[in-house]
Amino acid sequence: MQLKSYYELMNEITPLRLYHGLLAHGLFTEKLPPIFSSVNFFDYCQLFSQNFNKIQPTTYIFYENMREINIPRQLGIPSPFAYHNLCKCLSDNWQYICEHFKKYTINQTYKISRIHIREQKNTPTLFRMNYKNWEIDGFPEPDIMFGKRYLVKADISRFFPSIYSHSIPWALIGKSTAKKSTSSKLWYNYIDQCTRNLKYGETQGLIIGPHASNLLAEIISIVIDYNLLNKNWKYMIRNIDDYHCYVDSYNDGQKFIADLSDELRKFNLTINYEKTKIVELPLASTKDWVRQLKIQRKLITNMDYHGVTAFLDNVIDIMNNNKNISSIINYAIKILSKVKMTENVNEYYTKTILHYSIIYPYLIPLLEKYLFNKHTVDHSILVKFINKIYNDGIYYKFIDEVSFSLYFSIKYNVIIDTIDINDILNINNCIVSLLAFLYYKKHKNNLECKKLKDYAYNLSINNDDFGQNWLFIYELLSENELTGIWSDLKNKGITFLV
């Protein structure tokens, strides 16, 4: 199969497909509990989007999920109306954007950017992190490392939060031209304006989560790639904000870092020097811990009690030698999700993985797909686990732990013994508040439901509070309690819940 260029992959996406993919399937981050959808909203937009022309800049819903290093990552969910306007703007100007992609990638002998929006198999979503298709993208590393002695690993510091919205026009038409042409009626400046409207008019930072942010970041990143190629750095690949460049000498590696820093500075971006290093080749083609886990799985031919315990013990040993990165357990869970186990082995395994998930909350969003749907989990153990992560989440104010504990409790019919409406309100988070309402509604606790409805109504009075809690407010309040386009949306029966 002939490999497709970056531009060819982009050109496969029609303007309407872009609009549909970004809006219907790209508003909510995949890190949320899977109960949210904007498909109904997209259907509404096709008929009534002319009402959104006067949308003002607004703030957004704040959400955090735990990273593999047990540090929270800040994510966001923008106003659906403001996000619609950005998606529509990108769709309307897709021809110009594709020309931009062609201009800055056409001379690449292989595709430098490895993760970007694209058509994907068996899903209407246009973007997925870590998506790989070697048949289409190829595997350039063996060719570009050939004869090289060093590898530079360079990371952009706080990439999405650091992107300056005005740098989008800089990338599209050039910095000097953009500074002279400031009318918002110009297509590239309108993209800038729609981007700013997601963050209350602020110019600094893209919201992490919505798929349109990944497209905007690529508009800038491919220009940086192009400029580095013109400086004769021909042997590099990029995974969003992570560069790998193969060079002949250590001094060349230092020169690449300097040139990358110069190119980033043109867009007000900087290198993360703590994550940037020059390493001597050769290196294994996969991470060492991935290779170790694959070897261990092959060596253990019988996944009985002793086999599973030995495998999990090896997982912990590997973690201890790799800075306790919990993605190692994540990978192990995916391997063992395909293994049939006896009842006793299953009980040991599920208890162990739930124990790991309490220690490493990064694993919690993976449990439904790779543990609960694949193995039998005793209900009494599930009750203990859900109550534990709820209490931990409340104590440490970890939004994703509280959110998933409420989600799991709703789905698997579990009572949370210590749930308290005051604790929920103290978290002061839109997603937590909404899931708490759904929990109380399921258990027919009308008193607490009324308290949350009153809370939603009070939040609706203030514009900032509304923007940070629009999903909670909209789903709880009636058409008569909402105003403007929100009231009309409710009147049409649109919901963002699956």
Side-chain angles (χ1 to χ4, degrees):
M1 181 181 294
Q2 184 176 0
L3 301 182
K4 294 181 180 180
S5 68
Y6 188 104
Y7 167 70
E8 287 172 328
L9 289 169
M10 292 298 184
N11 207 39
E12 287 179 347
I13 305 170
T14 66
L16 180 59
R17 178 71 181 93
L18 181 77
Y19 176 54
H20 174 262
L22 294 182
L23 183 57
H25 303 281
L27 171 61
F28 296 106
T29 171
E30 294 79 5
K31 301 299 183 181
L32 289 166
I35 63 168
F36 304 107
S37 170
S38 52
V39 172
N40 289 340
F41 178 69
F42 171 80
D43 295 337
Y44 171 88
C45 291
Q46 289 188 296
L47 298 174
F48 303 104
S49 61
Q50 67 274 10
N51 299 334
F52 306 167
N53 293 334
K54 295 182 180 180
I55 292 295
Q56 297 298 311
T58 183
T59 187
Y60 58 95
I61 295 169
F62 174 83
Y63 188 78
E64 282 184 332
N65 85 295
M66 195 64 67
R67 300 170 63 189
E68 60 183 4
I69 52 176
N70 264 16
I71 295 175
R73 174 191 285 111
Q74 295 185 2
L75 307 173
I77 311 167
S79 156
F81 301 109
Y83 185 67
H84 162 271
N85 286 351
L86 173 60
C87 295
K88 188 67 168 61
C89 176
L90 293 169
S91 173
D92 289 345
N93 296 288
W94 187 233
Q95 177 184 350
Y96 301 125
I97 297 171
C98 280
E99 289 173 358
H100 170 75
F101 288 136
K102 184 175 183 179
K103 174 183 177 182
Y104 285 99
T105 64
I106 194 170
N107 291 328
Q108 295 179 6
T109 56
Y110 59 90
K111 192 158 63 70
I112 292 174
S113 177
R114 312 305 291 176
I115 302 173
H116 51 78
I117 69 164
R118 60 164 74 203
E119 292 287 3
Q120 301 181 45
K121 291 182 179 179
N122 304 318
T123 176
T125 301
L126 287 176
F127 181 80
R128 193 169 74 217
M129 281 294 295
N130 300 323
Y131 176 81
K132 296 176 182 178
N133 188 326
W134 304 123
E135 291 182 352
I136 293 175
D137 294 341
F139 187 66
E141 280 87 344
D143 291 324
I144 63 178
M145 74 168 64
F146 187 80
K148 304 301 177 183
R149 296 185 178 276
Y150 291 87
L151 169 63
V152 184
K153 297 182 178 182
D155 186 84
I156 302 175
S157 179
R158 302 185 73 251
F159 183 41
F160 279 66
S162 298
I163 289 178
Y164 185 48
S165 71
H166 293 338
S167 67
I168 299 169
W170 297 354
L172 288 167
I173 62 161
K175 191 170 185 177
S176 60
T177 303
K179 284 182 172 291
K180 295 175 184 176
S181 308
T182 58
S183 171
S184 62
K185 295 181 179 180
L186 295 169
W187 67 274
Y188 42 84
N189 287 332
Y190 188 53
I191 294 175
D192 179 2
Q193 179 180 315
C194 289
T195 301
R196 285 183 277 120
N197 284 351
L198 301 188
K199 291 190 65 181
Y200 228 157
E202 296 175 3
T203 58
Q204 194 68 33
L206 299 179
I207 300 175
I208 301 175
H211 292 178
S213 293
N214 298 92
L215 174 57
L216 295 171
E218 280 292 289
I219 288 173
I220 296 168
S221 297
I222 61 164
V223 179
I224 297 170
D225 298 343
Y226 176 86
N227 291 337
L228 289 170
L229 278 176
N230 283 344
K231 291 184 175 181
N232 212 34
W233 300 112
K234 297 179 180 179
Y235 308 103
M236 62 180 177
I237 59 173
R238 175 175 55 80
N239 293 297
I240 302 182
D241 60 349
D242 180 25
Y243 278 90
H244 281 192
C245 183
Y246 296 90
V247 297
D248 290 321
S249 67
Y250 190 90
N251 287 341
D252 285 344
Q254 291 180 311
K255 182 64 168 60
F256 172 78
I257 293 172
D259 284 346
L260 175 60
S261 180
D262 287 343
E263 296 306 325
L264 291 175
R265 199 175 300 116
K266 293 175 183 178
F267 293 97
N268 292 359
L269 299 169
T270 59
I271 286 180
N272 183 345
Y273 284 99
E274 291 183 2
K275 292 185 177 181
T276 296
K277 57 185 177 180
I278 305 170
V279 294
E280 191 170 4
L281 297 174
L283 293 174
S285 61
T286 58
K287 291 181 180 179
D288 185 58
W289 59 262
V290 172
R291 189 175 63 260
Q292 290 181 55
L293 285 180
K294 287 181 177 179
I295 292 172
Q296 291 296 331
R297 175 64 187 94
K298 289 180 179 179
L299 289 176
I300 302 174
T301 56
N302 184 14
M303 292 302 280
D304 56 11
Y305 176 81
H306 295 292
V308 170
T309 55
F311 183 80
L312 292 178
D313 286 346
N314 283 324
V315 169
I316 299 304
D317 286 341
I318 293 169
M319 278 190 64
N320 290 337
N321 293 323
N322 287 273
K323 301 179 180 179
N324 286 327
I325 297 174
S326 52
S327 56
I328 296 171
I329 302 180
N330 169 10
Y331 191 78
I333 291 172
K334 291 178 180 179
I335 291 176
L336 293 182
S337 69
K338 302 174 184 178
V339 175
K340 291 184 179 181
M341 301 178 184
T342 65
E343 184 176 343
N344 289 338
V345 174
N346 178 87
E347 181 181 356
Y348 168 81
Y349 173 69
T350 55
K351 286 180 179 179
T352 302
I353 296 304
L354 292 179
H355 170 64
Y356 291 165
S357 300
I358 292 169
I359 299 172
Y360 303 104
Y362 164 79
L363 301 172
I364 292 174
L366 309 169
L367 294 178
E368 182 176 6
K369 182 176 180 180
Y370 295 105
L371 188 70
F372 302 155
N373 291 348
K374 300 289 185 179
H375 300 274
T376 301
V377 180
D378 185 87
H379 188 72
S380 63
I381 300 301
L382 192 58
V383 170
K384 291 180 181 179
F385 171 73
I386 290 173
N387 275 271
K388 175 60 176 173
I389 63 171
Y390 172 81
N391 289 327
D392 285 355
I394 290 294
Y395 184 80
Y396 294 109
K397 290 192 175 183
F398 287 161
I399 292 171
D400 58 339
E401 275 198 272
V402 180
S403 297
F404 272 93
S405 66
L406 291 167
Y407 167 68
F408 289 149
S409 68
I410 295 167
K411 178 157 187 177
Y412 300 109
N413 198 30
V414 170
I415 298 293
I416 298 177
D417 296 331
T418 57
I419 190 167
D420 187 312
I421 188 68
N422 294 315
D423 291 334
I424 296 296
L425 297 179
N426 190 45
I427 291 289
N428 189 29
N429 178 262
C430 172
I431 302 302
V432 169
S433 298
L434 177 54
L435 283 163
F437 175 81
L438 296 175
Y439 171 87
Y440 285 125
K441 183 179 179 180
K442 178 179 177 66
H443 295 289
K444 298 181 173 56
N445 191 328
N446 295 329
L447 177 62
E448 306 297 44
C449 284
K450 185 180 184 305
K451 289 179 182 178
L452 284 167
K453 284 186 177 180
D454 292 342
Y455 177 55
Y457 182 79
N458 290 332
L459 289 172
S460 72
I461 298 171
N462 180 277
N463 286 338
D464 286 355
D465 288 339
F466 191 103
Q468 294 169 12
N469 295 274
W470 65 261
L471 186 55
F472 168 61
I473 295 168
Y474 175 78
E475 294 295 342
L476 265 67
L477 299 189
S478 67
E479 172 190 346
N480 294 332
E481 292 170 311
L482 297 165
T483 60
I485 53 178
W486 291 101
S487 178
D488 184 64
L489 193 68
K490 197 79 171 187
N491 174 261
K492 299 298 189 298
I494 304 302
T495 180
F496 293 92
L497 296 175
V498 176

